[in-house]
């Protein structure tokens, strides 16, 4: 299998299936398409058009099959490799895991917009200002704290459903946003953030992101340079 992704420093959607596959021990070849622009004639869009009709990363290639959309990729891998138990084994826990991933997939727009993923950066002053000024971002943070607290309480930890699942991979980019922008969190949630950062799959992604040394101004609303 091949996984087509964008820049590791910026591409939160690419991070999810990459971390999932790396952490679960699924063999794949990484194909990285550097963001240059998102106009139809950009090299990124031109190369991606040959791979996926959606024109977005990530894309999973398995033989002649192309699977795009992060959640679709996760579901495909779970069906193709059931022995790995990428979703929780318990039917009720599995339904909750799917629910929270779907909520992340379609929601938290205020937080994602105000706090774009930028693994290399440390911008706590931006985080403080945004949280003070934007009620919608505060609401998104509180919902995540509520969600993660309830899941950790129900499972007993150390991760959202006990062992590593798609849900932890799905929230890994949020974890990195909280770190970049210095978002204040309750101790139990801060500890979960650190456990996710320490996962070998997440740590490997972060190492690669830091090695990119690629500054793209259109991805960095809060800085003009590194």
């Amino acid at each position: 299998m091949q996984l087509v992704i964008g820049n590791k420093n910026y591409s939160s959607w690419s991070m999810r299936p990459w971390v999932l596959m790396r952490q679960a021990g699924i063999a794949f070849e990484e194909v990285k398409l550097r963001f240059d622009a998102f106009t139809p004639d950009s090299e990124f869009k031109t190369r991606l058009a040959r791979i996926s009709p959606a024109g977005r990363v990530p894309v999973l290639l398995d033989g002649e099959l192309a699977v795009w959309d992060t959640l679709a990729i996760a579901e495909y891998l779970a069906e193709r490799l059931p022995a790995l138990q990428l979703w929780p084994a318990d039917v009720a826990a599995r339904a909750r895991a799917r629910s929270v991933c779907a909520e992340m997939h379609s929601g938290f727009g205020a937080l994602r917009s105000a706090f774009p993923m930028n693994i290399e950066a440390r911008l706590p002053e931006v985080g403080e200002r945004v949280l003070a000024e934007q009620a919608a971002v505060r609401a998104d943070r509180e919902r995540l704290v509520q969600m993660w607290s309830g899941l950790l309480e129900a499972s007993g930890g150390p991760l959202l459903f006990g062992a590593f699942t798609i849900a932890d991979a799905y929230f890994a980019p949020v974890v990195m946003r909280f770190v970049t922008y210095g978002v204040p969190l309750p101790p139990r949630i801060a500890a979960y953030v650190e456990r996710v950062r320490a996962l070998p799959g997440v740590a490997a992604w972060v190492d690669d992101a830091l090695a990119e040394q690629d500054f793209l101004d259109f991805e960095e609303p809060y800085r003009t340079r590194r």
Side-chain angles (χ1 to χ4, degrees):
M1 289 188 282
Q2 293 181 313
L3 185 66
V4 183
I5 63 171
N7 289 56
K8 289 182 177 177
N9 193 51
Y10 302 118
S11 184
S12 59
W13 293 105
S14 297
M15 184 181 186
R16 293 179 171 99
W18 194 100
V19 165
L20 174 63
M21 296 176 79
R22 181 69 174 263
Q23 186 67 26
I26 301 170
F28 68 98
E29 177 189 351
E30 173 190 310
V31 179
K32 185 162 70 173
L33 304 182
R34 178 186 181 272
F35 296 157
D36 59 337
F38 299 127
T39 55
D41 61 346
S42 67
E43 183 179 355
F44 173 77
K45 286 292 189 181
T46 300
R47 293 179 64 190
L48 195 53
R50 305 185 192 116
I51 300 168
S52 166
R56 296 181 179 179
V57 288
V59 183
L60 180 70
L61 302 174
D62 190 6
E64 297 299 315
L65 176 66
V67 185
W68 59 92
D69 183 275
T70 298
L71 200 50
I73 292 170
E75 290 283 13
Y76 175 74
L77 292 170
E79 290 186 2
R80 192 178 184 282
L81 302 164
L84 294 180
Q85 292 191 343
L86 301 179
W87 290 117
D90 177 76
V91 64
R94 191 160 64 250
R96 285 194 293 274
R98 283 192 165 106
S99 294
V100 297
C101 287
E103 184 177 352
M104 182 68 242
H105 200 66
S106 61
F108 300 100
L111 186 144
R112 289 192 283 118
S113 177
F115 294 153
M117 193 172 84
N118 189 344
I119 288 173
E120 177 272 335
R122 290 296 178 268
L123 301 168
E125 69 285 355
V126 173
E128 182 178 14
R129 185 181 75 245
V130 167
L131 288 169
E133 295 175 352
Q134 299 191 34
V137 178
R138 295 196 299 274
D140 280 351
R141 178 192 59 179
E142 293 312 307
R143 171 56 188 144
L144 285 162
V145 168
Q146 175 195 50
M147 176 197 293
W148 292 355
S149 296
L151 294 174
L152 290 167
E153 179 68 27
S155 71
L159 300 175
L160 294 179
F161 292 90
F164 174 80
T165 67
I166 290 168
D168 299 297
Y170 224 80
F171 286 105
V174 179
V175 163
M176 300 315 302
R177 285 175 161 100
F178 283 164
V179 173
T180 294
Y181 297 97
V183 175
L185 299 167
R188 185 171 193 175
I189 302 306
Y192 170 70
V193 163
E194 291 308 309
R195 288 194 293 273
V196 171
R197 291 178 69 191
L199 290 172
V202 173
W205 177 278
V206 170
D207 286 346
D208 289 350
L210 296 177
E212 283 179 340
Q213 296 293 309
D214 197 3
F215 179 81
L216 301 175
D217 58 359
F218 57 85
E219 289 283 359
E220 301 222 22
Y222 302 119
R223 301 194 298 182
T224 58
R225 59 182 176 84
R226 283 196 174 196

